[in-house]
Amino acid sequence: MYANIIVDISHEQLDRTFQYRIPEALSQTVTEGSQVVIPFGKGNRRITGYVIERTSKAELDESRMKDIICVEEKAVAVESQLIRLAAWIRSRYGSTMIQALRTVMPVRDKVKSQEKTWYYLNVSREMAQKTLEESKRKKYRARERVLAAFLERTEWSREDLMDQLKISQAALKPLLERGILREEKTKKERGRVKAYGAAAPVTLNAQQKTVADDICHRYDAGDFKPSLIHGITGSGKTEVYMEIMEHVISQGKAVIVLIPEIALTYQTVMRFYKRFGDRISMVNSRLSAGEKYDQFMRAKRGEIDIMIGPRSALFTPFSNLGMIIVDEEHESAYKSEYTPRYHARETAIERMRIAGGMVILGSATPSVEAYYRALKGEYRLYRLTERASQGSSLSKVWVVDMRKELENGNKSIFSRELEQKITERLSRKEQIMLFLNRRGYAGFVSCRRCGKAVGCPHCDVSLTAHRNGMLVCHYCGYQIPMPKTCPSCGSPYIAGFGLGTQKVEALTAAAFPKARILRMDMDTTSKKGSHQEILSRFFAGEADILVGTQMIVKGHDFKNVTLVGILAADMSLYANDFRSSEKTFQLLTQAAGRAGRGEKPGDVVIQTYSPDHYSITAAMEQNYEAFYEREILYRKMLHYPPAGHLLALLLTSQREEQAKKLIKMYAALIRAQYNGMIDTIGPVAAPVSKIRDTYRLLLYMKSDRIEPLMQARSSIEQAFEEETGREAAIQFDFS
Ligand code: ADP
Ligand code: ZN
Ligand code: ZN
């Protein structure tokens, strides 16, 4: 046996491997991830390297191959663990070892570190407080906001001030001149944040305490079975996490907290900083590779105990990692959209299995997978059933059948119920959120004579109407002016159908002319920082109504919102996906959870064309178990995950004939080789069957066990490698 070894464990050098022989005596101990001592170069210098692969294929002449000297027995480096994790990712999800390694290893910054401007509070807090009062009296609004920010956190980078707080250079100037703030340019410490005034921890209520105590207890006893906390929105899960984190950190261990990017708001992050001070770091997708690398290195050097971030924070190189918390574990953003298409929940569990520690999953609407595993006893299940914050209670939910509205002559997008409640809220100066399910799904233009929708010539999707009169393809950006006649049959009867967020905004403005309205969707938030800006403005009471898509339902705690309206609740039910009922239930429940977070009770109005669907009725009752029981029956009946395993092969090619030929061949191969073990479905055209003139075909493979599917994947990979003259690509995806 031979070992492929890397000697420079940096992102750029990952594909430079050297092959060594594994001597007989070490054949048991050398595995993927082992740190080994090898003779290197002409002088046979002794250096250490990492085994990334064991193989029986010699890449050079046997006589020139050197032996591994020994396995490094000292402390296992975190790199070893990450390489083992990469090996697991490769075999679990399918990719090359290099792709898997690139996923887990931080990218070193080759460019010189950029000079960055920092601002510091240069006077005592009392002095700053006094100046703040003075600014308030004189109505220097901008200055007031600057001072408030520096009272919360004493150092700010220029970017954060500009992006997150919308503070301009001009607002800083007078404070710099008076010596209240100090400016410093530095190349060090990128992305660091320091918070002021440790917040006194809240006293956990009985339910929260039971959960935190039990988890800490099990942690101390070395019982590392993953925990799933099913806690309704606002039940205080974050407080429970923080209590447990404190316990784990006090034992010298580190914690990673995964939060979906969209919920990683300034508000959320500040809660952690206030509790844990500056031994904490955060990464997000807006950081450059270099900034992220710096934060990862701080973790490696032990300068911080906590890393907060989205999916990829999972690979923070803590050598003393004791726990990973996956908040909102049901979020689809936890699954990577690139090869290897790993899922952060499963990968976190594997990482903690390797490192020896616990994973905590939390959600108000657990994924069907996680709940299924919990009921089977693979995870420990905990429940939080009450809202934690004093006086806040679950909101009341009303379901309105929109078919009846139309029968009664109401053609508006607002049911009478919702319209009346909006008017009520406006007069009481309370805030309203209007949530439109799914952007781009509606807004297409179709012909009332031939029924065809106007589509993109390069992609198999319909174009979306924008208010500027253009029709846009959301896959490739293709756009044309709104045609006057149907491109298919020439009839003049073509019109926009359904709703987009822009349209809802316009209709809301028309129906409630006095209301101040903000809109948040992909179009309004594509600019850096704009997401945060819209939220801050709404939070500050600059608008009465926030209209938006998915993004407005995640994790924000708006105390003055007492009404949530959900328009077209069922739109996501008919998506082409076995998870569409689950996603609908999650969205509705999370959206409903936005109302009544403060002292005033909240109302939720769900408008739908399918009021009897179990996703809608269960969301109305806010009854997760009722939803789960119906859903799991369906999954079991059709052998969908988690009751079975599903592997999709996506084959893409510009040459349609070749694509069809290859995928049919692979379908036949699987049927022949795995008869009785794997069911194949298809091949079929992908839901979007063409993107940028590339054809996309799918083959589904289903099995009760995952192993045959992993083997099937290898078989197809091999056949694909051996195919000569191919102009196609393949991708695998486990659901
Ligand atoms: P979740 O993460 O479950 O949505 P949070 O932890 O964000 O819930 O808590 C919701 C709100 O309730 C927050 O404003 C939080 O500060 C408050 N809260 C949580 N636990 C308590 C408690 N034990 N006592 C008082 N307030 C609490
Ligand atoms: Zn037509
Ligand atoms: Zn297109």
Side-chain angles (χ1 to χ4, degrees):
M1 286 299 279
Y2 312 102
N4 294 331
I5 294 173
I6 33 179
V7 296
D8 178 5
I9 189 100
S10 70
H11 209 262
E12 302 77 51
Q13 300 290 337
L14 289 176
D15 35 18
R16 280 200 59 198
T17 61
F18 301 90
Q19 201 169 55
Y20 284 76
R21 197 173 14 240
I22 304 175
E24 195 51 44
L26 294 179
S27 69
Q28 298 298 314
T29 37
V30 172
T31 57
E32 279 151 356
S34 292
Q35 206 174 337
V36 292
V37 181
I38 47 172
F40 194 72
K42 283 220 180 72
N44 282 338
R45 218 160 22 98
R46 280 173 160 238
I47 61 165
T48 52
Y50 294 91
V51 176
I52 61 160
E53 220 160 4
R54 271 176 71 119
T55 169
S56 53
K57 246 200 291 188
E59 274 164 17
L60 62 160
D61 196 349
E62 177 78 16
S63 63
R64 285 169 49 211
M65 192 134 23
K66 300 177 199 171
D67 279 8
I68 290 174
I69 298 172
C70 61
V71 176
E72 190 80 80
E73 300 286 351
K74 283 178 295 184
V76 193
V78 62
E79 283 79 5
S80 295
Q81 296 184 358
L82 289 174
I83 293 169
R84 282 178 64 190
L85 189 62
W88 178 84
I89 287 176
R90 174 194 57 179
S91 73
R92 173 68 180 76
Y93 300 102
S95 72
T96 64
M97 187 61 184
I98 297 299
Q99 284 171 323
L101 281 170
R102 285 197 188 286
T103 305
V104 306
M105 291 295 170
V107 186
R108 186 186 290 170
D109 191 8
K110 268 199 282 198
V111 279
K112 270 254 168 268
S113 33
Q114 294 254 325
E115 198 175 70
K116 207 165 169 172
T117 309
W118 285 86
Y119 296 98
Y120 301 88
L121 189 61
N122 202 30
V123 294
S124 69
R125 282 174 64 78
E126 290 70 35
M127 179 70 191
Q129 189 67 46
K130 252 203 222 139
T131 322
L132 172 69
E133 304 299 332
E134 177 198 311
S135 312
K136 254 191 199 152
R137 271 199 314 278
K138 296 189 177 165
K139 299 212 172 7
Y140 293 155
R141 292 276 177 253
R143 202 176 300 178
E144 189 187 320
R145 284 206 300 150
V146 178
L147 287 162
F150 278 89
L151 278 167
E152 208 168 48
R153 195 170 111 184
T154 53
E155 46 183 77
W156 284 88
S157 68
R158 168 181 275 158
E159 286 76 7
D160 283 356
L161 282 180
M162 315 268 144
D163 293 349
Q164 298 190 8
L165 300 180
K166 308 291 150 204
I167 284 169
S168 69
Q169 189 72 34
L172 296 173
K173 210 169 150 224
L175 292 167
L176 286 165
E177 280 168 358
R178 284 172 62 184
I180 291 171
L181 297 184
R182 175 166 55 87
E183 180 184 282
E184 202 175 284
K185 292 190 195 303
T186 173
K187 287 190 179 175
K188 292 187 314 213
E189 315 221 340
R190 291 169 297 179
R192 187 175 150 195
V193 172
K194 198 167 190 170
Y196 227 122
V202 302
T203 311
L204 296 188
N205 63 34
Q207 276 196 338
Q208 287 172 311
K209 194 162 160 27
T210 308
V211 174
D213 285 353
D214 194 67
I215 291 179
C216 291
H217 207 92
R218 284 179 42 229
Y219 182 85
D220 291 346
D223 171 5
F224 293 150
K225 184 189 274 196
S227 305
L228 170 64
I229 304 179
H230 173 208
I232 61 166
T233 50
S235 59
K237 292 183 289 297
T238 310
E239 295 296 335
V240 172
Y241 302 151
M242 292 199 286
E243 192 77 11
I244 298 167
M245 286 161 70
E246 202 152 288
H247 181 79
V248 172
I249 291 166
S250 72
Q251 303 182 6
K253 293 290 193 169
V255 181
I256 294 171
V257 185
L258 299 185
I259 297 180
E261 179 103 33
I262 203 156
L264 206 55
T265 56
Y266 176 67
Q267 223 181 338
T268 315
V269 174
M270 273 327 265
R271 270 175 87 181
F272 285 95
Y273 282 127
K274 281 191 172 159
R275 175 87 173 245
F276 295 103
D278 63 354
R279 286 189 60 83
I280 192 169
S281 179
M282 182 193 75
V283 289
N284 60 36
S285 65
R286 290 190 300 276
L287 293 186
S288 69
E291 285 170 327
K292 192 169 156 194
Y293 183 78
D294 285 0
Q295 295 312 310
F296 272 18
M297 288 307 109
R298 292 182 68 207
K300 189 165 146 65
R301 290 191 301 266
E303 293 170 17
I304 53 169
D305 307 315
I306 299 170
M307 177 62 86
I308 301 177
R311 191 175 68 219
S312 65
L314 173 58
F315 304 114
T316 309
F318 281 119
S319 57
N320 57 338
L321 187 62
M323 179 172 279
I324 301 177
I325 295 171
V326 186
D327 190 27
E328 312 271 4
E329 66 72 33
H330 63 275
E331 271 294 322
S332 52
Y334 281 129
K335 168 121 182 247
S336 171
E337 58 270 56
Y338 314 108
T339 305
R341 303 195 55 163
Y342 70 91
H343 197 293
R345 183 198 323 124
E346 294 159 353
T347 311
I349 290 172
E350 180 62 17
R351 180 160 186 202
M352 288 328 298
R353 201 188 58 76
I354 293 170
M358 195 192 277
V359 171
I360 297 182
L361 310 171
S363 174
T365 51
S367 61
V368 173
E369 276 84 353
Y371 206 71
Y372 177 79
R373 303 240 143 79
L375 292 184
K376 279 212 322 196
E378 288 174 37
Y379 305 159
R380 188 63 172 264
L381 181 61
Y382 298 92
R383 288 194 175 89
L384 294 173
T385 55
E386 288 155 21
R387 283 223 164 153
S389 182
Q390 275 289 309
S392 93
S393 55
L394 270 187
S395 26
K396 255 177 115 172
V397 185
W398 318 71
V399 172
V400 181
D401 184 345
M402 289 308 275
R403 295 170 305 188
K404 294 231 172 81
E405 290 293 310
L406 194 64
E407 274 171 32
N408 289 320
N410 178 10
K411 290 194 186 119
S412 138
I413 61 164
F414 301 108
S415 60
R416 286 156 300 171
E417 190 81 59
L418 183 56
E419 164 152 23
Q420 183 210 331
K421 284 185 162 33
I422 293 176
T423 311
E424 227 171 77
R425 288 335 190 268
L426 288 173
S427 71
R428 295 209 303 249
K429 300 254 173 301
E430 293 169 5
Q431 288 178 300
I432 300 148
M433 285 169 110
L434 291 179
F435 163 60
L436 178 68
N437 197 355
R438 279 203 143 204
R439 169 229 190 207
Y441 197 80
F444 57 87
V445 167
S446 61
C447 170
R448 272 185 281 168
R449 194 170 112 197
C450 76
K452 289 215 172 85
V454 182
C456 172
H458 308 289
C459 311
D460 172 39
V461 293
S462 34
L463 300 176
T464 304
H466 281 225
R467 197 160 54 177
N468 59 10
M470 300 298 280
L471 297 183
V472 183
C473 171
H474 283 176
Y475 279 86
C476 75
Y478 171 85
Q479 49 176 303
I480 50 165
M482 171 82 186
K484 300 250 182 312
T485 56
C486 169
S488 305
C489 76
S491 120
Y493 301 109
I494 68 167
F497 182 80
L499 288 171
T501 36
Q502 292 189 348
K503 187 86 178 288
V504 172
E505 185 189 15
L507 290 172
T508 310
F512 306 97
K514 294 225 177 81
R516 296 163 304 162
I517 304 170
L518 274 172
R519 172 167 63 94
M520 185 154 110
D521 59 17
M522 296 281 253
D523 293 332
T524 57
T525 56
S526 49
K527 221 178 80 225
K528 193 173 155 179
S530 44
H531 180 234
Q532 189 61 46
E533 188 199 340
I534 295 171
L535 289 177
S536 315
R537 289 176 54 196
F538 189 60
F539 191 66
E542 285 181 30
D544 308 303
I545 304 181
L546 178 63
V547 174
T549 50
Q550 264 80 324
M551 315 183 166
I552 67 173
V553 311
K554 309 292 178 196
H556 319 299
D557 214 356
F558 297 116
K559 297 240 172 350
N560 199 33
V561 172
T562 60
L563 175 63
V564 171
I566 301 170
L567 311 172
D570 37 4
M571 208 163 322
S572 55
L573 276 178
Y574 307 104
N576 201 329
D577 175 0
F578 73 86
R579 286 198 176 89
S580 56
S581 297
E582 178 177 1
K583 284 184 186 154
T584 303
F585 174 77
Q586 284 165 352
L587 270 171
L588 298 183
T589 311
Q590 301 273 350
R594 293 306 111 210
R597 309 274 292 194
E599 276 157 23
K600 301 166 202 151
D603 280 350
V604 179
V605 177
I606 298 179
Q607 300 190 160
T608 176
Y609 291 91
S610 23
D612 301 325
H613 190 282
Y614 63 92
S615 289
I616 310 243
T617 53
M620 177 179 76
E621 295 161 7
Q622 308 196 37
N623 185 343
Y624 178 83
E625 279 75 18
F627 162 76
Y628 176 82
E629 272 162 27
R630 285 293 298 273
E631 182 67 13
I632 197 71
L633 277 182
Y634 153 75
R635 305 278 179 102
K636 279 182 176 158
M637 201 157 70
L638 295 174
H639 299 271
Y640 278 130
H645 294 273
L646 187 64
L647 172 66
L649 162 68
L650 174 68
L651 193 142
T652 54
S653 173
Q654 300 223 336
R655 294 170 50 194
E656 194 175 8
E657 282 317 304
Q658 191 187 42
K660 283 186 177 156
K661 188 194 101 195
L662 283 178
I663 202 150
K664 276 187 193 149
M665 209 167 81
Y666 300 143
L669 175 116
I670 299 305
R671 283 186 201 117
Q673 276 188 18
Y674 299 89
N675 187 18
M677 280 186 289
I678 294 179
D679 281 339
T680 57
I681 309 165
V684 293
V688 178
S689 68
K690 195 168 78 164
I691 296 183
R692 296 192 182 89
D693 296 317
T694 300
Y695 294 89
R696 300 154 55 83
L697 293 167
L698 276 174
L699 175 67
Y700 286 107
M701 290 159 269
K702 248 187 337 190
S703 175
D704 287 343
R705 291 183 311 123
I706 195 163
E707 291 78 14
L709 293 176
M710 287 164 70
Q711 285 161 15
R713 188 187 63 213
S714 306
S715 307
I716 294 174
E717 271 167 355
Q718 212 172 349
F720 183 74
E721 283 302 317
E722 287 162 7
E723 182 72 29
T724 48
R726 61 187 143 83
E727 283 172 44
I730 55 172
Q731 253 181 58
F732 292 96
D733 184 13
F734 274 105
S735 294

